[in-house]
Amino acid sequence: MEKDILIDKTAKKKSAKKMGWVVVVFVIIFAVVLIKFAFTGSLSSFSGLPDSDAAYGVAKEFITPTVRSGSISFHDSEYQFAKKSDSVYVIRSSYTSKDDNGENSDVKFRITLKYNGGAASNQNNWTMLNLDQD
Protein backbone atom coordinates (compact mmCIF):
# COMPACT_ATOMS: atom_id res chain seq x y z
CA MET A 1 0.00 0.00 0.00
CA GLU A 2 2.85 2.38 0.79
CA LYS A 3 4.39 1.80 -2.64
CA ASP A 4 1.12 2.79 -4.36
CA ILE A 5 1.01 6.04 -2.38
CA LEU A 6 4.62 6.87 -3.28
CA ILE A 7 3.99 6.09 -6.94
CA ASP A 8 0.86 8.28 -6.88
CA LYS A 9 2.81 11.11 -5.25
CA THR A 10 5.60 11.03 -7.84
CA ALA A 11 3.07 10.85 -10.66
CA LYS A 12 1.24 13.86 -9.24
CA LYS A 13 4.53 15.76 -8.91
CA LYS A 14 5.37 15.05 -12.56
CA SER A 15 1.98 16.19 -13.80
CA ALA A 16 2.14 19.29 -11.58
CA LYS A 17 5.56 20.16 -13.02
CA LYS A 18 4.24 19.71 -16.57
CA MET A 19 1.26 21.94 -15.83
CA GLY A 20 3.61 24.50 -14.28
CA TRP A 21 5.65 24.62 -17.49
CA VAL A 22 2.49 24.94 -19.58
CA VAL A 23 1.39 27.89 -17.43
CA VAL A 24 4.86 29.49 -17.78
CA VAL A 25 4.70 29.13 -21.59
CA PHE A 26 1.24 30.74 -21.71
CA VAL A 27 2.42 33.59 -19.48
CA ILE A 28 5.38 34.21 -21.80
CA ILE A 29 3.14 34.19 -24.90
CA PHE A 30 0.72 36.58 -23.19
CA ALA A 31 3.60 38.89 -22.25
CA VAL A 32 4.91 38.94 -25.83
CA VAL A 33 1.45 39.76 -27.19
CA LEU A 34 0.99 42.47 -24.57
CA ILE A 35 4.37 44.04 -25.39
CA LYS A 36 3.62 43.95 -29.13
CA PHE A 37 0.31 45.70 -28.53
CA ALA A 38 1.97 48.28 -26.28
CA PHE A 39 4.59 49.19 -28.88
CA THR A 40 2.52 49.01 -32.09
CA GLY A 41 -1.02 49.70 -30.93
CA SER A 42 -2.24 46.68 -32.87
CA LEU A 43 -2.18 42.93 -32.48
CA SER A 44 -2.03 42.23 -36.19
CA SER A 45 1.22 41.95 -38.08
CA PHE A 46 -0.21 44.10 -40.89
CA SER A 47 2.45 46.64 -41.75
CA GLY A 48 0.15 49.29 -43.20
CA LEU A 49 -0.87 50.40 -46.64
CA PRO A 50 1.25 49.56 -49.68
CA ASP A 51 3.86 51.98 -50.92
CA SER A 52 4.07 53.44 -54.42
CA ASP A 53 6.36 50.70 -55.74
CA ALA A 54 3.94 47.95 -54.71
CA ALA A 55 0.98 49.76 -56.26
CA TYR A 56 2.93 50.37 -59.48
CA GLY A 57 3.93 46.70 -59.68
CA VAL A 58 0.30 45.63 -59.41
CA ALA A 59 -0.74 48.28 -61.94
CA LYS A 60 1.64 46.73 -64.47
CA GLU A 61 0.01 43.34 -63.83
CA PHE A 62 -3.42 44.83 -64.60
CA ILE A 63 -2.24 46.61 -67.76
CA THR A 64 -0.18 43.83 -69.36
CA PRO A 65 -3.21 41.70 -70.40
CA THR A 66 -4.82 44.72 -72.08
CA VAL A 67 -1.91 45.16 -74.51
CA ARG A 68 -2.31 43.22 -77.74
CA SER A 69 1.35 43.12 -78.70
CA GLY A 70 3.62 40.51 -77.19
CA SER A 71 6.45 42.91 -76.41
CA ILE A 72 5.83 45.57 -73.77
CA SER A 73 8.33 47.71 -71.89
CA PHE A 74 7.21 49.90 -68.99
CA HIS A 75 8.96 53.19 -68.29
CA ASP A 76 9.55 52.38 -64.62
CA SER A 77 11.54 55.49 -63.78
CA GLU A 78 8.83 57.86 -64.99
CA TYR A 79 5.73 56.77 -63.08
CA GLN A 80 3.70 59.18 -60.94
CA PHE A 81 1.78 58.11 -57.88
CA ALA A 82 -1.04 59.65 -55.84
CA LYS A 83 -3.43 58.51 -53.13
CA LYS A 84 -7.08 59.49 -53.45
CA SER A 85 -7.97 58.04 -50.06
CA ASP A 86 -6.54 55.50 -47.64
CA SER A 87 -6.84 52.59 -50.03
CA VAL A 88 -7.35 54.14 -53.48
CA TYR A 89 -4.26 54.79 -55.60
CA VAL A 90 -3.82 56.58 -58.94
CA ILE A 91 -0.79 55.76 -61.05
CA ARG A 92 0.26 57.55 -64.24
CA SER A 93 3.01 56.27 -66.46
CA SER A 94 3.67 54.94 -69.94
CA TYR A 95 4.93 51.92 -71.79
CA THR A 96 6.34 51.10 -75.18
CA SER A 97 4.83 48.26 -77.17
CA LYS A 98 6.10 46.71 -80.37
CA ASP A 99 3.49 45.58 -82.88
CA ASP A 100 3.75 42.75 -85.42
CA ASN A 101 5.32 45.07 -88.00
CA GLY A 102 8.14 45.97 -85.59
CA GLU A 103 6.89 49.51 -85.00
CA ASN A 104 7.16 50.93 -81.50
CA SER A 105 4.32 52.92 -80.00
CA ASP A 106 4.36 54.82 -76.73
CA VAL A 107 1.17 54.61 -74.70
CA LYS A 108 0.40 56.76 -71.68
CA PHE A 109 -1.92 55.35 -69.05
CA ARG A 110 -3.70 56.36 -65.89
CA ILE A 111 -4.98 53.58 -63.64
CA THR A 112 -6.98 53.81 -60.43
CA LEU A 113 -6.65 50.87 -58.04
CA LYS A 114 -8.32 50.04 -54.75
CA TYR A 115 -6.35 48.06 -52.19
CA ASN A 116 -8.54 45.50 -50.41
CA GLY A 117 -6.03 44.28 -47.82
CA GLY A 118 -3.67 41.34 -47.66
CA ALA A 119 -0.35 40.95 -49.41
CA ALA A 120 0.27 44.10 -51.42
CA SER A 121 2.10 42.25 -54.18
CA ASN A 122 -0.85 39.92 -54.87
CA GLN A 123 -3.06 41.19 -57.70
CA ASN A 124 -6.08 39.41 -56.20
CA ASN A 125 -5.97 41.83 -53.26
CA TRP A 126 -6.61 44.81 -55.55
CA THR A 127 -9.56 46.03 -57.60
CA MET A 128 -9.10 48.09 -60.76
CA LEU A 129 -11.52 51.01 -60.62
CA ASN A 130 -10.52 52.81 -63.82
CA LEU A 131 -8.01 52.55 -66.68
CA ASP A 132 -7.39 55.24 -69.30
CA GLN A 133 -4.85 54.64 -72.07
CA ASP A 134 -3.82 57.16 -74.73
Side-chain angles (χ1 to χ4, degrees), residues 12-79:
K12 286 181 181 179
K13 277 186 180 180
K14 284 183 180 180
S15 67
K17 281 184 180 180
K18 286 181 184 178
M19 284 305 295
W21 283 111
V22 169
V23 169
V24 168
V25 168
F26 279 117
V27 167
I28 290 172
I29 291 172
F30 179 73
V32 168
V33 168
L34 190 63
I35 290 169
K36 179 174 177 19
F37 181 74
F39 284 114
T40 63
S42 172
L43 294 178
S44 71
S45 60
F46 182 64
S47 61
L49 294 173
D51 62 358
S52 61
D53 292 334
Y56 179 65
V58 171
K60 292 192 299 186
E61 292 178 27
F62 275 105
I63 291 171
T64 301
T66 66
V67 179
R68 292 186 184 192
S69 69
S71 175
I72 182 172
S73 173
F74 286 93
H75 304 153
D76 293 338
S77 63
E78 300 175 6
Y79 79 89

Side-chain angles (χ1 to χ4, degrees), residues 59 62-63 82-85 87-92 109-115 126-132:
F62 275 105
I63 291 171
K83 275 187 180 180
K84 275 186 153 180
S85 66
S87 60
V88 177
Y89 298 84
V90 178
I91 295 161
R92 296 175 76 173
F109 67 87
R110 179 178 184 249
I111 187 168
T112 306
L113 300 172
K114 182 178 187 312
Y115 176 63
W126 295 79
T127 304
M128 183 173 57
L129 302 178
N130 188 25
L131 174 61
D132 295 323

Side-chain angles (χ1 to χ4, degrees), residues 87-100:
S87 60
V88 177
Y89 298 84
V90 178
I91 295 161
R92 296 175 76 173
S93 188
S94 60
Y95 61 85
T96 302
S97 64
K98 186 179 281 191
D99 62 9
D100 295 335

